[in-house]
């Protein structure tokens, strides 16, 4: 079960670009009022997802992008309450589809721990909520702590 509390960020024509990813992160933290941690998860497809703790148990997913104008980070999902198990489907800004799964305990090999140690995450390619996900491969390539 997922509870949502907000919409995604502004439209693409109002995106602010920055000369470095660090400056893009600083802007993202300020504009989205991030009080908790941020983990940068790079997928095998090269997408850079920002699993963001907005407040105690409220999270959302953003995305870090780079184009000809520089770096930018944008919120791509509404906020959700992290329960013992939470999952939902997401679309990246360039149209890649994923299903993201969160658990507060790690009892399966497809999950990786995030920096704040409060949950484990698995990301599968495609929208897989109606499929058997036990045989589907996790597409997380790397997890980096952006903000603790």
């Amino acid at each position: 079960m997922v509870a949502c509390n907000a919409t995604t960020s502004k439209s693409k024509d109002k995106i602010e670009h920055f000369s470095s990813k660090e400056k893009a992160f600083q802007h993202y933290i300020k504009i989205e009022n991030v009080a908790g941690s941020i983990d940068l998860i790079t997928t095998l497809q090269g997408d850079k997802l920002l699993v963001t703790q907005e407040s105690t148990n409220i999270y959302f997913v953003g995305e870090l992008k780079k184009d000809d104008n520089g770096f930018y980070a944008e919120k791509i999902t509404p906020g959700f309450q992290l329960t013992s198990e939470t999952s939902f489907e997401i679309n990246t800004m360039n149209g890649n589809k994923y299903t993201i799964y969160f658990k507060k305990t790690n009892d399966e090999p497809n999950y990786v721990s995030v920096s704040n140690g409060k949950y484990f995450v698995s990301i599968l390619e495609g929208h897989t909520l109606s499929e058997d996900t036990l045989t589907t491969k996790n597409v997380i390539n790397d997890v980096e702590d952006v903000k603790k």
Side-chain angles (χ1 to χ4, degrees), residues 16-30 64 71-73:
E16 288 190 58
H17 289 81
F18 299 90
S19 60
S20 70
K21 68 180 183 179
E22 291 76 17
K23 289 181 181 178
F25 290 146
Q26 290 171 357
H27 177 74
Y28 176 78
I29 290 166
K30 181 180 176 184
L64 175 68
F71 292 92
Y72 61 97

Side-chain angles (χ1 to χ4, degrees), residues 1-119:
M1 178 98 36
V2 175
C4 297
N5 72 346
T7 59
T8 57
S9 288
K10 47 195 176 246
S11 65
K12 194 163 179 133
D13 61 339
K14 296 180 182 179
I15 291 175
E16 288 190 58
H17 289 81
F18 299 90
S19 60
S20 70
K21 68 180 183 179
E22 291 76 17
K23 289 181 181 178
F25 290 146
Q26 290 171 357
H27 177 74
Y28 176 78
I29 290 166
K30 181 180 176 184
I31 200 81
E32 299 298 345
N33 298 315
V34 177
S37 64
I38 301 174
D39 286 289
L40 173 62
I41 298 176
T42 304
T43 69
L44 294 173
Q45 293 76 10
D47 289 307
K48 297 189 178 302
L49 304 176
L50 299 165
V51 177
T52 307
Q53 182 183 19
E54 183 176 6
S55 60
T56 305
N57 276 337
I58 304 296
Y59 290 79
F60 63 86
V61 177
E63 187 173 4
L64 175 68
K65 298 289 283 179
K66 183 177 192 265
D67 61 21
D68 293 341
N69 296 318
F71 292 92
Y72 61 97
E74 291 290 318
K75 184 176 182 176
I76 62 171
T77 70
F80 58 90
Q81 183 172 4
L82 182 62
T83 60
S84 60
E85 290 188 25
T86 302
S87 60
F88 57 93
E89 297 169 338
I90 64 172
N91 296 318
T92 62
M93 287 187 264
N94 65 353
N96 287 336
K97 296 177 180 183
Y98 297 104
T99 304
I100 188 165
Y101 295 85
F102 295 93
K103 287 187 172 195
K104 288 197 175 182
T105 59
N106 188 16
D107 55 359
E108 294 183 37
N110 275 342
Y111 285 77
V112 297
S113 178
V114 294
S115 64
N116 69 8
K118 295 185 186 236
Y119 63 92

